[in-house]
Amino acid sequence: MSEQYRDCIEACYLCAAACDNCAASCLKEENLEMMRDCIRLDMQCGSICRLSAQFMALDSDSAKSLCAICADICRQCGEECGKHQHDHCQHCSKACLACAEACRKMAA
């Protein structure tokens, strides 16, 4: 597996874990309605990150296309999480934006 794949796969798995933690933590927040978009994007982002990592590990011909989609969803999730001051949201935002960058490079 190339170094580029390895770095992107690692970023995807770190992002997926941060998204899972963020979604679970958001569900415990007092104002659940305010967290709705954050939770929704966390779930979508975690799923696409795991799928992208799997496609890269399989050396799929579709890995680059999937990484381009993943980069977009990670960016959306990172921006939404960044709106919230909770530590779990801020950590997730950083992981998402780092993954978006890694996936953009992979898709190029």
Side-chain angles (χ1 to χ4, degrees):
M1 184 181 324
S2 74
E3 186 69 28
Q4 186 179 17
Y5 270 172
R6 190 175 348 213
D7 292 346
C8 193
I9 288 170
E10 182 177 317
C12 283
Y13 280 129
L14 288 173
C15 185
C19 286
D20 288 346
N21 178 65
C22 188
S25 297
C26 284
L27 287 170
K28 297 175 187 172
E29 295 296 338
E30 298 251 340
N31 187 350
L32 198 55
E33 181 61 33
M34 181 180 76
M35 306 310 292
R36 185 178 308 273
D37 287 339
C38 189
I39 296 166
R40 179 180 55 79
L41 283 166
D42 283 337
M43 293 169 54
Q44 292 174 13
C45 189
S47 293
I48 195 73
C49 284
R50 280 186 283 278
L51 185 61
S52 295
Q54 181 183 22
F55 272 52
M56 285 182 279
L58 292 168
D59 197 24
S60 170
D61 291 340
S62 299
K64 285 189 176 192
S65 298
L66 193 55
C67 282
I69 296 167
C70 187
D72 186 48
I73 293 171
C74 285
R75 180 194 50 75
Q76 290 175 48
C77 190
E79 289 174 359
E80 177 61 33
C81 287
K83 295 177 185 176
H84 306 284
Q85 294 306 310
H86 309 292
D87 287 342
H88 56 84
C89 288
Q90 291 299 309
H91 174 74
C92 187
S93 177
K94 288 179 182 140
C96 287
L97 296 176
C99 188
E101 181 62 25
C103 284
R104 264 192 293 280
K105 287 179 184 175
M106 173 51 60

